[in-house]
Amino acid sequence: MIEINPGVLDKTDSRDEDEDVEQRLQRVSTEVIQELKVSVGLFIRKNRPGTPEHGRIRRFVRGSSTAKIERLIGTFQEWPQLLDPTLDHLVQPLVTAFVEYLQNHARHYRHMNPKKLVDPLPRAICKVLYTLCKVRGPKVITRFFSNEPAILEPMLDAFDSWNRVSDSAEDDKHSNAEHLIWEEKYIILLWLSHLALTPFDLASMSTSYGETDIFPPGTLKSLGELPNVAHRLVALGVRYLSSASKEREAAVSLLVRLSLRPDMQQLHLHTQLIEWILSSLNDNLSGNVHGSIYFYTGALSYLAGFFRSGSGQTVAPFLIPIFQCMQTITAEGVRTASDIQGSAFARKLVVKIHHFLVIHLLSESSAAAVIDQNNDLDLLNAIFDHLLTSLAVKDNPVRLAASKALSVIAQKLDSDMKAQLVDDIARKLQENLVFKHSESTTADNEFQGADTMAIQRNFTAVDPLNWHGLILTLSHLLFRHSAPEAQLPTIIGLIIDALGFEQRSSLGTSLGAGVRDAACFGIWSLARRYSTAELLGVPISDVQSGAEHQGCNSIIEFLAAELVLTATLDPEGNIRRGASAALQELVGRHPDIVPSGIRLIQIVDYHAVGLRSRAMHDVALQAAALDEIYLDAISVGMSSWRALGSPSAAIRRDAAVIVGRINRMHSLESTTFQQMLFLGTFDTSEIYQQRSRGERTADEWHGLYLAYAALIRQGYFSGTSFVRRMRTTQGDVFLLEEHGIFGIKDIKSRGKRSELAIEALCTVLAAVSTSIRTNLMLEEVSYHVHILEACFKHCTQQVLSVVKSAAESVIGCLEEQGRQSLIRSWLVDIQEGRNGQLRSGGSNVNLVTVVGAVLPVTSMKTVPKDLMTLQMDVLVSQLSKVSSVGTKCAVLKDLFLPVFSSAYDSRFSTKEHLKMAIIECLDDHTIDSRGDIGSDVRIAAIDLLSKTHAAWDDSLKHKAFGIVYGLAVEKLDRVRGCAWSCIRNQRIVSVQDLERTASWSTYNVDYFVFILELGKRDHLLVPMIRGFITSASVGSEVLVRNSRLALLKFLDDCSPDEILAVHESLVQIVRSEIPSGRLLRPGLEVLSFLLDVDLTSREHPCSNQWHLLLVDLPQVHTSSDLPTLQALVGVYAGLLKYIESCKIALSTLHRLLLHRYPLIRLVAAGALWMAVPNPKLKALDLSQPMPTLRSDVQEALRSSQRAFQYPG
């Protein structure tokens, strides 16, 4: 069977996949559909595959078969159109089988117990049909339903009988119980609504008249002379009109189609239904009756469907009553309408009803009956006001429905009213909109008649929901070609502004994605619905927008440039793809207008822009290289909120890199490029002005500084002119303390601003020092060092790498003597600090990292001896036990490697004290509330040993690698992996073994056996077992199981002497940890395990070590660690097997029956019971008071000692 994982195929964002997911599904869809056909055939009929039309239908179907078909259909959830060619072959057999069952086996229908895992055939078919409706839509699937009028009444009979039938006699007693599941009700009601379209009168298909009491209580009364089948259909629809699930939709469709039949209209069925619905709604609004929200949504759905499908003459009598009811529902302050107003779906239905009301009012057949008689246009105005108000509500479905309604209504309006509608929308879009000029911040009314092309829009104060609804309305107008041509410049300008809309909530989340998405739809509609001549007829100078269009000769080029900008720089993936689709439509519908159009849409591909980093780094640069208008658009966009001003630091860093690369495409005098960089913002006067106006946030300044540094690295500023600029504006760039932008006070602050300031300043420092280091004066370098010291004293781990890079560059600007002096002062600061803090304040971890980064810059051959000695002393002192874990890791990772360089080796004869410090770090097991934080030190020490082992002498090297062998089998995965890599790098393992172990994980049993075999030598055995016992006792469950199994396999292949050595080593470790060492509990547990499996020979029981252990073990009895005491009991229980130790072990277990902890008493009693099954011992109540317990225990022990069988 072909298995397609929908969860995988749904990820169309395809992180690094260039292949189109839809194409992948298309390739396998043939096989999936073929399997689906075969499964459906076997699903409904008892026959061989390939001949479904000749077999008998099944009466019951396994639930697994139904689930398999549903899963195969669900594969096409995102691409349902792939099912279209085969829908007939899938749906028709299901429909035929259902009808056949209805005609021949309806009386055999039974509800099976869910535990039987089978369903009646109709239920299984309904589940599959519902899945098809969910994937492809009910309108498409119902086309394949049988429309034979002969099955209408049998289906009604079956619905009634199946809904009452049950396998349980108890259920049959409850007449109101319904037994059909909701999928069955939904499909049958949907089928009945399809049969309601039959062209024959229902009277000709009814067996009798009557049954006036079949409606649910509190609903309709008798409907007079309706045919019986109509009575039953209406009753069924009314019953499920208030359902909380999907069958409500099918019931609404059934009632709408039934009431609009000509024969039912003659019997005034629609009149009675609408009057009943309006009466129910009015009763609720008046407070007389409080109904369910599901009933109200069902009633409103019926009214919307009635107006949508009914003719003007049919609906005309009900326009005014329904309008008045809707006005009451939407009026503010109506407490009884709160349930309806609180439901987004109900409000959407009200919008739809208003939509169809206006359409009928504006039609000739309805207007004469309503508007002319009432002579009042307030009704239309009220509806328009409600639709415009609905564009700003928080519920997205309501806004979508209102925007679509306004665009459809606009098609019915004359040109003047259309223009008035667009003017109203434009006026609402400019509410609370602030324009940002280059010299002031002014409201929009002060710029009337000004050159608004040069004015930026500030969307901070506007309502993003209202903008989304209004822009979506304009987009729908364009999609339906309803926008007046005279107002196209206004509409295009507003949509382009919306393409750059962004607003942030108080929590920092984006609120503008919906607006930009609607703008992409608007441009796509404009390109699709309007001809090239119409668009070229729009003067580009009349388009008032905040976007620049220098170099664009037509509005089409302007739109293309804006779409390229959005498709490459927008932070949202769906917006980038929407812009790409609109660009493809624009180029395809208007050929030979967009510069390099074909090549452009190949670069700005729908899938290429899916990944943000690829869109910025690759697509943007390739598009910018095609033409100047794309280059200018992307360059200006780089300085906006999309790139350098983005709230995301990652996006700002990427944008800075792009700025550095894109400058090569510009001329240095390019006005656009100067505007993009805002180089004037680094002038003192401009900083003051922008600070007073509050125009830039810390994020924006951070992005501008990163861009400035990128330009310096790319050589944009070169020669003496740049050096003079750095001289005159040094205070503008670095002495920012007095200006309040990224100064020393920001570095010393805590939180996000401090990190931004440190990263921005250090990035510029590194770029400046690297680019013009030979032209910097001494006082300038000194100030760079001053800023650098402030940065590394207060930086966090997130920006430490940037500080390291800046330190390397700044140190490179100093003379050799100055470097040595600066490094000496830093080392003294580290050495004289206390508790992880520098003498001058700040964390010593950061300074240790910085010193390690700058040491390679210093020439080791000219370093004086006192500086080397100082460095040695710092290394040893910072690796002491009192140092923090962070300090030790920083020293091991950054300061040690230069010590083992050739220059140091030539001037120092020994470094044993440093190597001993590394060995101590290999055994660092510091634990705090975070857990085993010493593992970081162990890993850092292993990495250092792996890099420097060639400089170690044999004795210390053997000692260090003995610990490494133990770490290779310890409990932490990452430590084991690091130690195993170190062992592999020693070339101790043969090539054949390396190939054999390449695929092993450090959880593997064979891996543990292999390491135990390697460490079997004398100098490695004890340290290796010290690490191994942690895996075999306190590790994860899988690790404990695998390591113990590996130990058994290893010992099984060992000689008696080797087994004895392992036992002696283990006993030695346990004795060294008494009374409360770290490895005491793991050692006792492993020792108990080995005694339990009886791998030690009884004739050679390690007598000397065991006797010493038995002497030391009583010190553990006073421990408060219960797991350790439990392991101790297990050891004593194992020692009962040996002649030399059984008496001591037995007496000790007897004493433990009186231990202070009841749990230990219980464990000791269990161990004794396993050795001596004494009934008196079993009857002991170990929870009773100690005096009473003591006498009972003594009595039980006397009988136990007599019954104990001593070994041998």
Side-chain angles (χ1 to χ4, degrees), residues 1046-1112:
L1047 179 61
L1048 295 180
K1049 286 186 175 182
F1050 167 70
L1051 293 177
D1052 191 49
D1053 295 334
C1054 290
S1055 64
D1057 291 338
E1058 291 173 338
I1059 295 176
L1060 188 62
V1062 172
H1063 277 267
E1064 288 182 343
S1065 300
L1066 184 56
V1067 172
Q1068 177 184 346
I1069 293 171
V1070 172
R1071 290 185 58 220
S1072 65
E1073 297 293 324
I1074 293 175
S1076 58
R1078 178 182 62 88
L1079 296 177
L1080 178 59
R1081 176 194 166 189
L1084 289 174
E1085 288 189 357
V1086 175
L1087 193 57
S1088 172
F1089 168 72
L1090 290 178
L1091 291 171
D1092 187 52
V1093 298
D1094 198 18
L1095 279 179
T1096 303
S1097 173
R1098 296 189 180 184
E1099 291 77 17
H1100 304 281
C1102 318
S1103 57
N1104 184 38
Q1105 289 290 343
W1106 283 110
H1107 287 312
L1108 294 175
L1109 178 63
L1110 289 173
V1111 172
D1112 294 336

Side-chain angles (χ1 to χ4, degrees), residues 811 818-828 851 854-855 858 867 870:
I811 290 295
R819 296 177 191 171
Q820 296 175 8
S821 175
L822 182 60
I823 292 175
R824 181 180 286 105
S825 66
W826 285 350
L827 290 174
V828 171
V851 172
V854 302
L855 279 177
T858 306
L867 181 56
L870 176 62

Side-chain angles (χ1 to χ4, degrees), residues 1140-1153:
E1140 294 83 353
S1141 58
C1142 65
K1143 293 182 179 180
I1144 300 177
L1146 185 62
S1147 62
T1148 304
L1149 287 175
H1150 290 169
R1151 290 196 301 271
L1152 290 176
L1153 289 176

Side-chain angles (χ1 to χ4, degrees), residues 530-580:
Y530 287 80
S531 65
T532 304
E534 289 175 315
L535 293 182
L536 292 178
V538 177
I540 193 171
S541 58
D542 293 346
V543 177
Q544 298 181 356
S545 169
E548 299 287 344
H549 52 67
Q550 297 178 4
C552 297
N553 299 320
S554 66
I555 194 63
I556 297 178
E557 293 184 6
F558 186 21
L559 292 173
E562 290 302 311
L563 289 174
V564 169
L565 168 62
T566 303
T568 54
L569 299 185
D570 197 280
E572 300 292 336
N574 63 315
I575 308 300
R576 293 194 301 271
R577 290 188 160 183
S580 173

Side-chain angles (χ1 to χ4, degrees), residues 435-441 447 454-456 686 689-690 693 695:
F435 294 91
K436 292 168 53 179
H437 197 267
S438 59
E439 296 182 357
S440 64
T441 303
F447 285 102
I455 300 171
Q456 298 296 320
E686 183 64 22
Q689 292 175 10
Q690 293 197 355
R693 295 196 298 263
E695 293 184 9

